[in-house]
Amino acid sequence: MAYLRLPASVIPLFLLFTFSHMSSKTMVAGARFLLETSLPQVPELPKPELPPLHKPELPQLPKPELPQLPKPELPTLPKPELPTLPKPELPTLPKPKLPPVPHVPTLPKPEGLKLAEEPHVPELPKPELPPRPNFPTLPKPELPKLPEIPPLPHLPADLPKPTLPSIPTLPKDTPGPSLIPPHKTTYP
């Protein structure tokens, strides 16, 4: 019987082959090329302005008067009479005869019997507790007086605005420092 399975050493090579084909750089480079290319700008042509056209006025035609025709009178038709149908009568069913209700004798009330009374619970004497011992009352501690805080000095409502020192500026004719050397305009 023949084996149809791949050996275990072939599987990593197969995976490496598939992943190498999935990440191709040509597609990325092509997309980047399309993004970086700029389309030529087409100048916009000015829109021509046409002078306003004169609207011709059409002469108004008189409205023709149509003769009023008499309305034709339609003959009135008599209302059709529908035959009356007899009302269906439901047959009356005979009332069933019910048997008489059996007589239930009433029980006589017992006169000499009384309901059981609740048993009398004797009252228990209240236990006498020994008197509480007299504890001496402690005097309330007096807190020391705190020194008074001096009042805050009164500040005027309108304080003068502080003046900021001015920042020195460079003259406009002085060139700034540059890392690029000046170009020579003459050829040797």
Side-chain angles (χ1 to χ4, degrees), residues 69-157:
L69 297 174
K71 292 182 181 178
E73 292 183 11
L74 297 174
T76 58
L77 297 174
K79 292 182 180 178
E81 294 182 6
L82 296 174
T84 58
L85 296 174
K87 292 182 180 178
E89 293 182 8
L90 295 175
T92 57
L93 296 174
K95 291 183 180 179
K97 292 181 180 179
L98 298 174
V101 179
H103 178 67
V104 179
T106 59
L107 296 174
K109 292 183 181 179
E111 294 178 3
L113 298 175
K114 291 184 180 179
L115 294 176
E117 294 181 0
E118 294 179 4
H120 180 67
V121 179
E123 293 183 7
L124 296 175
K126 293 182 180 179
E128 293 182 8
L129 297 174
R132 290 188 291 176
N134 291 332
F135 291 108
T137 58
L138 296 174
K140 292 183 179 179
E142 294 182 7
L143 296 175
K145 292 185 178 179
L146 295 175
E148 293 183 7
I149 299 173
L152 294 173
H154 179 66
L155 296 174

Side-chain angles (χ1 to χ4, degrees), residues 25-87:
K25 295 181 182 177
T26 56
M27 292 174 59
V28 175
R32 186 175 298 136
F33 177 74
L34 286 176
L35 288 175
E36 291 176 354
T37 55
S38 60
L39 298 175
Q41 294 182 354
V42 178
E44 292 184 11
L45 297 174
K47 294 180 180 178
E49 294 182 8
L50 298 174
L53 297 174
H54 177 70
K55 293 181 181 178
E57 293 182 6
L58 296 174
Q60 294 183 355
L61 297 173
K63 293 181 180 178
E65 293 183 11
L66 296 174
Q68 292 184 358
L69 297 174
K71 292 182 181 178
E73 292 183 11
L74 297 174
T76 58
L77 297 174
K79 292 182 180 178
E81 294 182 6
L82 296 174
T84 58
L85 296 174
K87 292 182 180 178

Side-chain angles (χ1 to χ4, degrees), residues 178-187:
S178 174
L179 298 176
I180 302 171
H183 296 290
K184 293 182 179 179
T185 56
T186 58
Y187 290 107

